[in-house]
Amino acid sequence: MPDFGRHIRLESENRGWILAVAAVFIVSSAWVTLVAQSNASHRLITDSAGDTLATNTRFMPQLYEVTYLLKETNFIGDETQADMTYTAQSSMHLDVVQPTQALKFNSLNLDITNFSYLLDDWMDVCLCGYQYQCMSHDCKEMVRPDGSEGAREGTMVVLLFTPVQAGQHLVVHMEYTASLVSGLARSTAFEYADPVTSQMESQVLIAASLEPFGARRMLPCMDFPNLKANFSISIQAPDDLVALSTMAEESSQPGLEPGTTLHKFGVTPKMSTYLMGVTVGHMVSSSAMSDSGKKISVWSVPTLADQHAVPLQAALQGTNFYESYTGIELPLTKLDMMAIPGKGGAVENWGLIQFDERRMLVNEATEGAYGRWSSADVVCHELSHQWFGNYVTCKDFDNISVNEGLASFVEYKCIAAAFPEMSGQALFQRATTPHGENVGVHEGPRSHAMGVDATPFVEPLLTFRALSFLSYHPELPYSKGASLWRMLEAFWDSAGQDAFRAGLRVLMQRHALGSATLENVLTALVDGVAAVSGNDDTGDMQQLRANSRLLTVPAQTAVALLQFWIDQPGFPLINVSDSGTQAAQSRFYAWGSNVTDDPFVTSGNSTWYVPLGAGQLGSQAVPGDAAAQWGELLDHSGMIPSVDTEGTILNVAGTGYYRVQYPSAHQQQLTAALRDLTSADNSTMSVLLQANAFISDITALSFANSIDPSAILDTAAAVAASPACQTGFGMHLLVMPIVEALQQLALFSHVVEADNQCRLDLYTSIQQLLGSFAQPIVDQVSQQGASTADSKYDSATYTASQNTFLYDHVKVQLPYTTQHSAVVCTTHPAGLSGRRPSYVVSL
């Protein structure tokens, strides 16, 4: 526990009043000089100077000790009656790396009232405060913003009494006051029943939400993800409140104020500042023990205690899965999942994850498939960060996809492990709200990322935009990163080995409790795959080595090939030759190839390293990936796995992050093959995923004016004739994508088609197809008594199978989408003409 007496008094028996008086004159003179230099030349965290503090700091943090002093009035729900500030005391333990006399650190909107430091356990100096020996009573004179931008971004500079040398140790003590608006902040108010009086009170929770640079708003620190340190956190709070932090509580004792308790928590592992967890308030929990003996708890306000079951199952089984998958036991003794009233999104504080209570908690009486998946998805994502993001952290936020891409990739494995009835593979391919909208930035990552990444002016995965945290297109670090890892996993694991996981384990071991860049991730993956390949002489592995240049070239060359995916924006279109044995690649744009002046494109000849797998689409397909033939496209054009036979399709299991354009005759063959698809059980999943990728390509190529838009109607007719479209698997992967394509086609043609008769014929055909897809669900929902549009799903129809789960997942979305499409299609009188419209949409 931090020494309260030391923090408050900041006295030293080794320094007399004569030294203190002399020091005032010496340091004051030096301080004037430093301020002049600072105002002239010091710049705070801009795109360049910020990195200077993060990577060239003259001090390395080792330990932060902090005590937060919270009062009963901090928790009053009505802001007009609540005390909106708190006080805190901190000690920052620093190793001196380079000689200096200026200490820079991050502090934003913290009113520092006391500042002292101890050098090598003998020199104790109070620069400012109300003690007689302090050099100044005004800390604003001694702790100054570093240049004009320092005040805005939160970097402070202090002139030390004497220069410090490399190898010395500095402990900086501060007292400060801060607002409960950001950093450590109040939640939305909720109603709480006093257990003694039974009266209802308006209360709030107080919680830390710090990503990316919020730690400086509640703690003086070196606030960059690569500058990791241990944390010793204590919280003084009213006796009747629960206090949580990253680590389990070690001890408690009466606080300094009557009616308060001082809670002391264990020292954390090395971690980034933005991962510090603090939550205080009226809370209740449900708990279970993981296989490794960790206490896993879900917390909420008391009135929502009956909605813990689904997130607790996700957290418990997810923890078991991640520890097994990574081979690394969570280096904490417990894991808390906190539902915060009014919070937007979620944040992966280590050991104390915070969620929007509306998404994490599930009322099983009213929520079915979608509600359960929505909770499982966000829990599995934030839980994955405990390893991918917390145990190994991005070196800086330019490399945020180290955290978010890996977490978005692995979360779908966690979903499948925690809830076998949810199809992680199908949900990776696409996932939307009941109204067909994108849920967030990591849900359904393949379709989500490709929709964004095909537009002009998107950034590369590696952004080089300091302090921005995320790019202008936040889907990319999450969903594109996840899709890239899934593509590489499918190729490298095609020999039946966990080669990709071996690479992730190399990453976790090599950068344990440290930081990494995207290049570090690629290097670890290449090294892990090479190790597995070198120890396996089976026929499948020999075939993989024969098909993969990455496994035959030096590691540095292999990493350079993969680097194209993170250094340049977009993804490729694979244009298959008429022979079916060769292909050319070029960047795919959603609006066609006539894009100019794209600032993120350095060359008009973009190429990628593309692993290509060829499989079969249709009833003759072999379940799984065993029949796949793999190859690589490394240049603008080259040989590919042959697709010259009927029903052969590129993009095995829809894992490739690219689009494919086939010769017209082969495209028609594949379209016809959709009629024969079945989905009696999960054994056909690989084929349905391939069909989903094909449908997605047809839609995208049509709207890019690369193929005739009539291909959408042909594809829709084939899907409608398929037995698979009456099942949950088929509805999710085949029907919904084509329904969304028909909706878009109706909207676009309404804008651009001048021939009213042509437009009417098109609307008629679209309406017929939409009706054939929606009517079975409309009938079934009517028989069961459909839930209202505002509810998520009727849980009475929920059974524990992937097929029925996916059926429930789309049963509201499909009628909703077709109904809104009909609004466009019925702008003209609808009459079934019985003939296919003849038209060409000019896009």
Side-chain angles (χ1 to χ4, degrees):
M1 181 180 73
D3 184 342
F4 273 80
R6 182 183 198 97
H7 284 172
I8 296 172
R9 293 188 301 273
L10 298 172
E11 295 180 355
S12 171
E13 297 178 358
N14 298 323
R15 185 175 67 247
W17 68 271
I18 297 177
L19 177 60
V21 173
V24 170
F25 293 99
I26 296 172
V27 175
S28 296
S29 176
W31 175 252
V32 171
T33 302
L34 178 69
V35 169
Q37 294 172 345
S38 174
N39 290 337
S41 62
H42 287 175
R43 298 177 62 245
L44 178 69
I45 316 175
T46 60
D47 285 357
S48 58
D51 285 345
T52 300
L53 180 58
T55 58
N56 298 321
T57 179
R58 298 179 185 273
F59 299 87
M60 288 299 296
Q62 299 300 317
L63 171 68
Y64 296 104
E65 296 178 279
V66 59
T67 299
Y68 294 102
L69 307 174
L70 300 174
K71 305 178 289 293
E72 183 177 5
T73 51
N74 291 143
F75 296 87
I76 297 174
D78 186 346
E79 288 188 5
T80 63
Q81 300 180 29
D83 187 339
M84 299 295 290
T85 63
Y86 66 93
T87 58
Q89 306 160 347
S90 71
S91 295
M92 183 166 50
H93 296 246
L94 307 172
D95 285 344
V96 183
V97 178
Q98 300 178 41
T100 185
Q101 194 172 355
L103 169 64
K104 289 185 182 183
F105 62 94
N106 296 119
S107 171
L108 185 60
N109 298 331
L110 302 181
D111 184 9
I112 298 173
T113 57
N114 242 312
F115 187 104
S116 68
Y117 66 88
L118 179 67
L119 181 63
D120 285 344
D121 292 326
W122 69 270
M123 185 177 183
D124 199 351
V125 178
C126 180
L127 290 183
C128 59
Y130 293 99
Q131 290 72 38
Y132 73 90
Q133 72 272 30
C134 295
M135 299 179 184
S136 171
H137 291 314
D138 186 1
C139 284
K140 290 182 173 59
E141 293 182 354
M142 310 300 284
V143 184
R144 298 282 299 275
D146 182 22
S148 60
E149 296 182 8
R152 185 179 75 246
E153 300 291 351
T155 290
M156 313 303 287
V157 61
V158 174
L159 178 66
L160 302 176
F161 180 63
T162 59
V164 294
Q165 305 300 319
Q168 291 188 296
H169 185 73
L170 191 70
V171 181
V172 180
H173 307 289
M174 280 177 266
E175 294 181 33
Y176 54 94
T177 301
S179 170
L180 288 167
V181 174
S182 60
L184 190 61
R186 290 159 45 96
S187 73
T188 297
F190 61 92
E191 291 300 309
Y192 171 74
D194 187 288
V196 177
T197 65
S198 298
Q199 292 184 343
M200 300 301 293
E201 302 175 357
S202 179
Q203 289 277 293
V204 298
L205 302 180
I206 292 178
S209 185
L210 307 178
E211 191 176 14
F213 296 109
R216 65 189 68 181
R217 297 178 182 271
M218 65 177 287
L219 173 71
C221 59
M222 307 289 189
D223 194 16
F224 290 89
N226 62 310
L227 301 180
K228 293 191 170 187
N230 303 109
F231 287 75
S232 176
I233 299 172
S234 298
I235 302 171
Q236 178 179 286
D239 291 334
D240 61 337
L241 300 184
V242 176
L244 301 174
S245 188
T246 296
M247 303 298 287
E249 185 174 304
E250 281 191 343
S251 65
S252 63
Q253 65 186 59
L256 295 178
E257 299 295 330
T260 64
T261 299
L262 180 65
H263 306 267
K264 176 177 171 52
F265 302 90
V267 177
T268 71
K270 291 280 187 182
M271 68 181 195
S272 302
T273 49
Y274 74 89
L275 298 174
M276 180 173 57
V278 170
T279 303
V280 185
H282 289 291
M283 302 177 280
V284 294
S285 67
S286 303
S287 302
M289 299 301 291
S290 72
D291 291 346
S292 60
K294 304 288 190 301
K295 184 178 182 180
I296 312 298
S297 301
V298 170
W299 294 83
S300 72
V301 300
T303 55
L304 301 177
D306 60 346
Q307 300 184 21
H308 293 183
V310 172
L312 182 59
Q313 180 178 342
L316 177 64
Q317 299 304 326
T319 298
N320 294 337
F321 164 74
Y322 285 126
E323 290 190 335
S324 173
Y325 183 78
T326 63
I328 295 173
E329 186 176 322
L330 187 69
L332 310 172
T333 58
K334 60 85 181 175
L335 178 63
D336 294 320
M337 323 282 285
M338 184 67 231
I340 304 291
K343 178 174 177 54
V347 64
E348 63 267 25
N349 298 342
W350 213 358
L352 181 54
I353 309 174
Q354 294 185 8
F355 299 89
D356 179 348
E357 67 178 12
R358 296 163 296 181
R359 179 160 182 187
M360 183 183 83
L361 303 178
V362 179
N363 185 340
E364 295 189 87
T366 59
E367 299 182 62
Y370 180 80
R372 291 169 65 87
W373 166 75
S374 183
S375 173
D377 176 79
V378 72
V379 169
C380 279
H381 180 85
E382 300 304 331
L383 188 61
S384 68
H385 278 313
Q386 306 301 291
W387 288 265
F388 301 103
N390 299 4
Y391 191 83
V392 175
T393 309
C394 59
K395 182 179 180 181
D396 52 49
F397 289 115
D398 292 336
N399 287 273
I400 187 61
S401 196
V402 171
N403 295 12
E404 301 301 349
L406 287 172
S408 301
F409 163 71
V410 184
E411 75 180 76
Y412 290 87
K413 298 179 183 293
C414 167
I415 291 173
F419 297 92
E421 71 274 14
M422 298 185 192
S423 175
Q425 293 183 79
L427 294 168
F428 189 102
Q429 205 80 350
R430 64 177 305 277
T432 63
T433 69
H435 294 168
E437 301 163 341
N438 288 326
V439 182
V441 292
H442 56 81
E443 294 82 357
R446 184 180 187 272
S447 62
H448 200 166
M450 295 187 83
V452 174
D453 210 16
T455 58
F457 317 120
V458 295
E459 309 92 322
L461 209 53
L462 189 61
T463 61
F464 297 112
R465 184 169 289 124
L467 292 185
S468 65
F469 176 47
L470 291 175
S471 67
Y472 292 128
H473 302 90
E475 301 89 344
L476 299 180
Y478 292 77
S479 291
K480 181 177 181 176
S483 300
L484 173 58
W485 308 134
R486 184 169 179 248
M487 178 174 65
L488 295 177
E489 179 194 45
F491 182 32
W492 287 335
D493 285 5
S494 62
Q497 301 290 331
D498 284 332
F500 186 86
R501 181 172 71 167
L504 287 182
R505 288 188 170 191
V506 170
L507 173 73
M508 303 296 283
Q509 294 162 8
R510 191 174 287 174
H511 299 277
L513 298 176
S515 59
T517 64
L518 280 168
E519 184 176 355
N520 295 146
V521 176
L522 296 178
T523 301
L525 291 175
V526 167
D527 290 346
V529 171
V532 170
S533 171
N535 294 326
D536 186 347
D537 291 324
T538 62
D540 286 341
M541 184 56 72
Q542 290 178 4
Q543 185 62 47
L544 178 62
R545 284 196 293 265
N547 291 340
S548 178
R549 184 179 175 186
L550 285 182
L551 299 180
T552 60
V553 298
Q556 186 175 4
T557 303
V559 171
L561 289 172
L562 294 173
Q563 195 88 16
F564 286 113
W565 284 103
I566 66 175
D567 287 344
Q568 62 184 1
F571 59 85
L573 169 66
I574 308 301
N575 202 317
V576 179
S577 67
D578 290 339
S579 67
T581 59
Q582 291 186 313
Q585 63 166 301
S586 59
R587 182 174 175 186
F588 177 76
Y589 282 107
W591 312 113
S593 59
N594 297 322
V595 176
T596 60
D597 301 324
D598 189 334
F600 294 102
V601 177
T602 57
S603 169
N605 300 315
S606 299
T607 58
W608 291 262
Y609 159 83
V610 187
L612 295 167
Q616 289 292 316
L617 181 65
S619 59
Q620 73 275 33
V622 177
D625 298 341
Q629 295 179 340
W630 286 89
E632 297 169 323
L633 186 61
L634 303 175
D635 301 313
H636 288 288
S637 60
M639 301 293 293
I640 62 170
S642 177
V643 290
D644 59 350
T645 57
E646 184 174 346
T648 307
I649 188 171
L650 290 179
N651 206 342
V652 168
T655 55
Y657 191 67
Y658 47 79
R659 299 214 178 277
V660 183
Q661 183 170 354
Y662 300 94
S664 178
H666 196 77
Q667 174 188 306
Q668 293 173 14
Q669 291 176 1
L670 292 175
T671 302
L674 295 174
R675 296 175 177 270
D676 299 325
L677 293 180
T678 60
S679 58
D681 54 46
N682 197 39
S683 65
T684 59
M685 178 62 70
S686 179
V687 177
L688 294 180
L689 292 170
Q690 289 167 181
N692 173 269
F694 175 70
I695 293 170
S696 177
D697 289 347
I698 289 293
T699 302
L701 290 167
S702 295
F703 290 120
N705 207 27
S706 297
I707 61 175
D708 194 310
S710 63
I712 294 177
L713 292 184
D714 293 335
T715 304
V719 169
S722 166
C725 79
Q726 299 300 320
T727 68
F729 292 120
M731 287 171 55
H732 183 78
L733 291 171
L734 309 181
V735 174
M736 283 313 306
I738 200 64
V739 165
E740 290 164 359
L742 290 171
Q743 182 184 33
Q744 294 176 50
L745 185 59
L747 292 171
F748 272 91
S749 62
H750 182 70
V751 173
V752 302
E753 180 56 66
D755 187 327
N756 286 338
Q757 184 59 47
C758 179
R759 186 190 303 166
L760 177 59
D761 289 344
L762 172 62
Y763 288 167
T764 298
S765 294
I766 291 175
Q767 193 171 21
Q768 280 184 293
L769 289 165
L770 291 173
S772 69
F773 291 131
Q775 196 59 49
I777 297 183
V778 172
D779 293 342
Q780 187 245 19
V781 170
S782 298
Q783 292 171 3
Q784 294 176 348
S787 55
T788 65
D790 292 333
S791 64
K792 291 189 176 178
Y793 289 115
D794 181 1
S795 61
T797 64
Y798 178 82
T799 56
S801 75
Q802 291 187 7
N803 187 57
T804 53
F805 170 82
L806 291 173
Y807 189 90
D808 280 358
H809 192 67
V810 300
K811 77 175 186 182
V812 171
Q813 181 187 346
L814 183 52
Y816 176 87
T817 304
T818 55
Q819 178 185 10
H820 281 256
S821 297
V823 172
V824 176
C825 291
T826 55
T827 8
H828 300 279
L832 301 181
S833 63
R835 64 183 179 87
R836 174 180 169 179
S838 173
Y839 69 94
V840 175
V841 179
S842 302
L843 300 177

